[in-house]
């Protein structure tokens, strides 16, 4: 590696400059889509209590031991994959730099630069015995670096898992090749370590297990002893990953899939239909890698036609047929290698065996695009068989003189896309014209308008935000009536901001109709009945909310408030005690219990409970209130 690095230092410097030229303007960006899953993204708003959103990353270095015992991300109903190494990097970053989008984006750029360099070294090593190894390795890495299809992975801080998984995967391949060529145990051990590190970043790294033998089949003479050692190393790495997860992680992975994400989850697709969908998905990726327009932050149902013959279907078929024909006609071994690399690595994301949330996604072709870049590089070598890249001055000769204008076009395209990723709202609003048929994308945009209503910084007047949010919730529902969250959130807008109880009730009921065990919608419907002073019905919905989600504490608060409103103070006290038995340090339930005791004229007991609450969370307001009650 050291000798390659010294020999190629000018190429490395070029890649460094190009990486920052293409992605330097991302350093001005803030947090965006899904970044809150992996790092601390919420900023302090005015004088409100500041609670960092990622409970483990916010602890910095102290959170690392716990990170290795939990799933990498959670939401209200799901716990996602196990990616401890990526979350550890975020915790270290937060521990050193605090909350800094600049540092997060800088690290993503540096990881991308490292990938381009390691890709260059890996292809050089792969083609070590070929005279054009410098040429094809440079072309492959150069095309990879400038390709606009990678903008999501570099811009999206959350996608650092993709960056790190590919980086370690390429290092595993590189060291496997070095071991095969030099029979040194240190390279075998390095391949073992990098494969494990990649798998601790994202399961996408499992593709490396297929890429390594593919490299040997095409470019190395089979050595039985070395092959057995490599296979054994891979198997041990997989065992280490499995044992680590089983030993450290108690919680299971939970993920619910819905029609608006991908109809293949909920509709019956026979085997032939799944093949048809797979060809369409393949066609999408081929088209996107050849002509990456338009960008969309999310796809999902109705954005990809899964039922009829369309352009994606035709491109998918043409790719398979034309690629096979070219391989047979030209006998281009290197194109064949890139073809198999790309096809094999994109196959898991074509919905044939496992449906993909969103159906397709720009980030999902990141690993496979390496094979696509090898294909393009080998095509250029076929067109210009006498070209040999030796110096950077070769940009003045063919084919680089043709590639350079394309690189300038890509630079402008990438630069503008980077601006779209400034924050969630900028991204969502830019892509809105292209995602009108996406239920999930419309719901996400509406959510952003909704969140802005609660923020002190508003891009639009409150009524405009309400109208925009309702418009996109309604578009989400129109595109897919099963999107239960859109009903619920629209209902909250009618309830909290427009005071329209009738429409609020209707939307909450529709949310429950599409997902009966939707705790939040049941709680919200309870709020509607409580506003109408129908306390018994309200309490019944609050109880349902708690039954569906034991941590739905607001429902517990409202049950107690409803009982107090009916002067059922004794019952309110009992309910408070029930919740305090499950969470003894809960300040809010202590206050509610004290209020009920005070209303029930049990002043001394009430003051004792207020005192407990004050010890948990001292405040001048509570202290003043207690003193005033003691005087009476």
């Amino acid at each position: 590696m050291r000798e390659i690095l010294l020999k190629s230092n000018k190429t490395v410097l070029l890649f460094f400059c190009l990486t920052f030229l293409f992605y330097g303007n991302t350093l001005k960006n803030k947090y965006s889509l899904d970044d809150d899953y992996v790092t601390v993204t919420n900023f302090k708003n005015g004088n409100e209590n500041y609670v960092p959103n990622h409970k483990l990353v916010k602890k910095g270095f102290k959170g690392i031991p716990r990170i290795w015992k939990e799933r990498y991300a959670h939401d209200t109903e799901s716990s996602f994959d196990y990616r401890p190494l990526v979350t550890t990097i975020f915790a270290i970053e937060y521990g050193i730099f605090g909350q800094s989008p600049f540092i997060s984006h800088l690290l993503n750029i540096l990881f991308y630069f490292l990938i381009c360099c390691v890709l260059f070294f890996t292809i050089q090593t792969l083609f070590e015995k070929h005279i054009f190894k410098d040429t094809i390795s440079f072309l492959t890495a150069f095309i990879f670096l400038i390709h606009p299809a990678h903008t999501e992975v570099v811009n999206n801080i959350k996608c650092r898992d993709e960056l790190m998984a590919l980086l370690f995967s390429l290092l595993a391949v590189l060291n496997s090749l070095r071991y095969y060529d030099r029979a040194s145990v240190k390279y075998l051990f390095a391949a073992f370590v990098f494969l494990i590190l990649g798998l601790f970043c994202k399961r996408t790294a499992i593709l490396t297990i297929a890429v390594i033998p593919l490299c040997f089949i095409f470019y190395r003479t089979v050595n039985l002893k070395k092959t057995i050692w490599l296979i054994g190393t891979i198997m041990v790495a997989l065992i280490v990953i499995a044992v680590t997860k089983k030993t450290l992680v108690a919680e299971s992975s939970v993920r619910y899939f819905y029609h608006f994400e991908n109809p293949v989850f909920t509709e019956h697709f026979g085997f032939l239909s799944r093949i048809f969908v797979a060809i369409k998905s393949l066609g999408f990726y081929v088209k996107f890698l050849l002509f990456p327009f338009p960008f969309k932050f999310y796809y999902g149902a109705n954005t990809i036609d899964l039922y009829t013959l369309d352009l994606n279907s035709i491109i998918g078929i043409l790719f398979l047929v034309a690629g096979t024909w070219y391989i047979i006609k030209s006998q281009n071994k290197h194109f064949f290698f890139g073809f198999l690399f790309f096809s094999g690595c994109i196959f898991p994301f074509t919905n044939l065996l496992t449906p993909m949330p969103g159906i397709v996604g720009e980030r999902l072709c990141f690993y496979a695009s390496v094979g696509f870049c090898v294909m393009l590089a080998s095509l250029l070598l076929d067109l210009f068989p006498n070209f040999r890249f030796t110096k950077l001055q070769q940009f003045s000769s063919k084919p680089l003189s043709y590639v350079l204008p394309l690189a300038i076009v890509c630079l402008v395209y990438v630069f503008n896309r980077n601006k779209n990723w400034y924050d969630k709202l900028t991204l969502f609003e830019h892509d809105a014209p292209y995602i009108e048929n996406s239920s999930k994308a419309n719901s996400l945009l509406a959510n952003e308008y909704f969140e802005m209503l609660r923020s002190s910084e508003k891009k639009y007047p409150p009524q405009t935000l309400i109208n925009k949010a309702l418009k996109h919730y309604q578009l989400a529902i129109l595109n897919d009536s099963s999107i239960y969250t859109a009903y619920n959130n629209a209902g909250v807008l009618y309830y909290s901001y427009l005071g329209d109880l009738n429409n609020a009730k209707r939307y909450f009921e529709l949310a429950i109709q599409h997902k009966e065990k939707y705790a939040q919608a049941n709680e919200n419907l309870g709020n509607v009945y409580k506003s109408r002073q129908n306390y018994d019905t309200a309490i019944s919905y609050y109880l349902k909310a708690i039954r569906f989600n034991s941590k739905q504490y607001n429902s517990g608060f409202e049950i107690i408030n409803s009982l107090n409103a009916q002067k059922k103070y004794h019952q309110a006290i009992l309910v408070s005690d029930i919740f305090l038995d499950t969470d003894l340090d809960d300040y809010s339930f202590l206050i509610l219990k004290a209020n009920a005791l005070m209303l029930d004229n049990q002043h001394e007991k009430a003051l004792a409970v207020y005192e407990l609450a004050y010890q948990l969370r001292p405040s001048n307001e509570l202290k003043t209130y207690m003193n005033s009650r003691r005087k009476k």
Side-chain angles (χ1 to χ4, degrees):
M1 173 70 81
R2 186 172 178 270
E3 60 269 24
I4 296 177
L5 183 60
L6 291 172
K7 182 182 175 182
S8 308
N9 56 357
K10 290 183 180 178
T11 302
V12 171
L13 179 60
L14 174 67
F15 286 171
F16 182 82
C17 295
L18 284 176
T19 304
F20 276 88
L21 180 64
F22 272 70
Y23 290 101
N25 65 328
T26 67
L27 296 173
K28 298 185 294 184
N29 290 353
K30 297 182 179 179
Y31 297 114
S32 192
L33 179 65
D34 290 341
D35 290 346
D36 51 321
Y37 279 127
V38 292
T39 191
V40 177
T41 60
N42 59 324
F43 289 87
K44 188 171 183 178
N45 187 10
N47 295 321
E48 68 180 18
N49 290 325
Y50 174 52
V51 181
N53 59 290
H54 200 296
K55 64 179 182 178
L56 295 179
V57 171
K58 73 178 182 181
K59 296 180 180 179
F61 292 90
K62 293 180 180 179
I64 292 175
R66 188 66 190 173
I67 284 169
W68 286 80
K69 297 179 181 179
E70 289 195 7
R71 300 280 167 179
Y72 93 101
H74 303 77
D75 61 20
T76 54
E77 61 180 6
S78 302
S79 58
F80 298 101
D81 197 15
Y82 183 60
R83 303 172 191 173
L85 184 56
V86 179
T87 315
T88 297
I89 296 298
F90 282 117
I92 293 171
E93 177 190 330
Y94 188 80
I96 297 173
F97 301 103
Q99 190 180 41
S100 175
F102 173 87
I103 294 296
S104 295
H105 287 294
L106 176 62
L107 289 174
N108 270 26
I109 294 172
L110 291 174
F111 275 117
Y112 190 62
F113 159 68
L114 290 174
I115 288 170
C116 296
C117 292
V118 174
L119 176 58
F120 173 72
F121 299 145
T122 302
I123 301 298
Q124 266 200 332
T125 305
L126 182 65
F127 289 87
E128 196 167 51
K129 297 179 181 179
H130 293 76
I131 192 172
F132 52 80
K133 67 173 185 177
D134 292 329
T135 306
I136 195 168
S137 58
F138 177 82
L139 285 172
T140 300
F142 182 76
I143 294 169
F144 184 90
L145 190 157
I146 69 172
H147 206 300
H150 300 153
T151 52
E152 177 179 351
V153 175
V154 181
N155 278 275
N156 192 355
I157 295 169
K158 181 264 170 197
C159 280
R160 192 176 297 172
D161 51 9
E162 298 282 1
L163 291 165
M164 292 178 64
L166 180 57
L167 175 62
F168 290 128
S169 295
L170 290 172
L171 286 167
V173 174
L174 175 61
N175 281 279
S176 297
L177 291 167
R178 303 290 277 181
Y179 163 72
Y180 219 77
D181 294 338
R182 304 188 181 185
S184 174
V185 176
K186 69 178 181 180
Y187 293 119
L188 183 65
F189 179 73
F192 168 75
V193 171
F194 286 126
L195 181 57
I196 288 178
L197 293 177
L199 290 168
F200 275 140
C201 292
K202 195 173 184 181
R203 281 186 296 178
T204 309
I206 200 77
L207 297 170
T208 313
I209 295 173
V211 170
I212 290 173
L214 183 68
C215 293
F216 295 141
I217 291 168
F218 270 78
Y219 298 106
R220 295 295 186 271
T221 302
V222 175
N223 181 305
L224 184 61
K225 182 180 177 180
K226 292 177 182 177
T227 302
I228 291 172
W229 273 103
L230 268 173
I231 292 173
T233 299
I234 291 170
M235 295 304 297
V236 172
L238 292 175
I239 291 169
V240 168
I241 294 292
V243 170
T244 302
K245 288 175 67 173
K246 187 174 181 180
T247 304
L248 296 181
V249 185
E251 61 176 337
S252 58
S253 178
V254 178
R255 179 73 160 88
Y256 298 99
F257 300 103
Y258 300 98
H259 185 275
F260 54 81
E261 294 179 292
N262 189 338
V264 180
F265 286 125
T266 55
E267 297 180 16
H268 175 69
F269 280 76
F271 183 68
L272 291 178
S273 298
R274 292 285 280 268
I275 291 176
F276 185 59
V277 172
I279 291 172
K280 280 176 168 285
S281 302
L282 174 64
F284 165 83
Y285 289 117
V286 173
K287 181 181 73 174
F288 190 75
L289 286 167
L290 288 173
F291 186 64
F293 179 86
F295 289 112
K296 299 178 185 178
F297 69 86
Y298 192 84
Y299 291 83
N302 299 327
T303 61
I304 304 290
D305 179 6
L306 302 181
Y307 309 98
T308 60
L309 189 70
D310 63 357
L311 182 60
N312 285 332
S313 314
I314 295 169
I315 292 175
I317 294 168
L318 282 176
F319 173 77
L320 295 172
V321 173
T324 304
W325 172 83
Y326 182 76
I327 290 164
I328 295 171
K329 181 180 181 297
S330 68
Q331 297 293 302
N332 187 329
K333 174 182 175 181
H334 318 304
F335 181 89
F336 189 20
F337 170 78
F339 182 85
L340 289 179
F341 189 118
F342 170 73
S343 302
C345 290
I346 205 65
F347 173 75
F349 306 107
T350 58
N351 297 284
L352 180 61
L353 300 179
T354 304
M356 291 289 107
I359 305 176
V360 293
E362 295 166 16
R363 71 190 181 283
L364 300 180
C365 66
F366 186 58
Y367 196 119
S369 69
V370 171
F372 202 83
C373 293
V374 173
M375 289 171 60
L376 294 178
S378 64
L379 277 174
L380 285 170
L381 285 178
D382 252 10
L383 291 171
F384 305 95
N386 296 321
F387 174 74
R388 295 291 180 269
F389 178 80
T390 54
K391 298 179 180 179
L392 297 183
Q393 289 90 333
Q394 292 292 322
F395 273 101
S396 60
S397 64
K398 300 175 183 178
L400 290 182
S401 60
Y402 295 154
V403 174
L404 191 57
L406 179 63
I408 295 171
V409 172
C410 290
L411 172 61
V412 174
Y413 197 35
V414 168
F415 201 82
N416 287 328
R417 184 55 177 170
N418 294 342
K419 293 178 180 178
N420 301 152
W421 276 90
Y422 177 74
D423 61 15
K424 285 184 183 180
L425 187 61
T426 306
L427 176 66
F428 295 170
E429 287 191 328
H430 175 271
D431 291 5
Y434 308 113
I435 47 89
E436 285 185 348
N437 294 330
S438 173
S439 183
K440 178 72 176 289
N442 275 288
S443 182
L444 288 171
L445 176 54
N447 289 347
E448 200 59 24
Y449 290 131
F450 192 175
E451 288 300 318
M452 191 169 283
L453 272 171
R454 308 176 188 183
S455 171
S456 59
E457 297 182 9
K458 295 180 174 62
K459 183 177 180 180
Y460 305 103
Q463 188 58 50
T464 303
L465 287 171
I466 292 169
N467 294 339
K468 284 178 175 288
L470 286 174
K471 171 192 170 182
H472 286 281
Y473 282 135
Q474 287 159 3
L475 277 173
I477 292 164
L478 180 66
N479 286 313
D480 195 317
S481 60
S482 69
I483 186 159
Y484 58 92
T485 55
Y487 292 113
N488 177 72
N489 295 344
V492 174
L493 285 170
Y494 281 112
Y495 177 80
S496 299
Y497 293 92
L498 297 176
D500 186 343
L501 296 184
N502 290 330
N503 268 318
K505 178 176 177 292
R506 180 169 66 90
Y507 275 100
F508 293 144
E509 287 174 342
L510 285 167
I512 294 168
Q513 179 182 319
H514 287 89
K515 187 180 180 183
E516 181 183 356
K517 296 182 179 181
Y518 190 4
Q520 190 60 57
N522 277 278
E523 179 183 294
N524 290 336
L525 190 53
N527 290 338
V528 172
Y529 282 106
K530 179 172 173 284
S531 297
R532 291 176 169 175
Q533 298 185 357
N534 190 341
Y535 296 113
D536 290 338
T537 305
I539 290 172
S540 70
Y541 279 104
Y542 291 140
L543 290 171
K544 285 183 181 180
I546 294 167
R547 186 165 74 248
F548 299 145
N549 181 359
S550 60
K551 294 182 179 180
Q552 201 76 21
Y553 293 136
N554 282 332
S555 291
F557 300 158
E558 295 306 332
I559 289 173
I560 297 167
N561 287 330
S562 297
L563 291 169
N564 283 337
Q566 297 177 84
K567 299 184 179 181
K568 297 179 179 179
Y569 306 126
H570 182 64
Q571 292 181 35
I573 295 164
L574 291 175
V575 172
S576 302
D577 284 334
I578 291 170
F579 280 98
L580 286 168
D581 283 342
T582 61
D583 193 351
L584 292 175
D585 292 333
D586 197 289
Y587 171 87
S588 300
F589 281 112
L590 286 171
I591 292 294
L592 288 170
K593 179 180 179 180
N595 290 344
L597 287 165
M598 190 64 70
L599 290 169
D600 198 33
N601 293 319
Q602 300 183 52
H603 294 179
E604 290 186 9
K605 289 184 178 180
L607 287 170
V609 177
Y610 280 132
E611 187 62 42
L612 289 173
Y614 180 79
Q615 290 173 11
L616 285 177
R617 196 182 301 173
S619 71
N620 290 330
E621 183 181 359
L622 181 56
K623 184 177 182 180
T624 301
Y625 175 77
M626 288 190 296
N627 289 334
S628 67
R629 299 307 300 183
R630 287 191 181 100
K631 291 177 181 178
K632 293 181 180 181

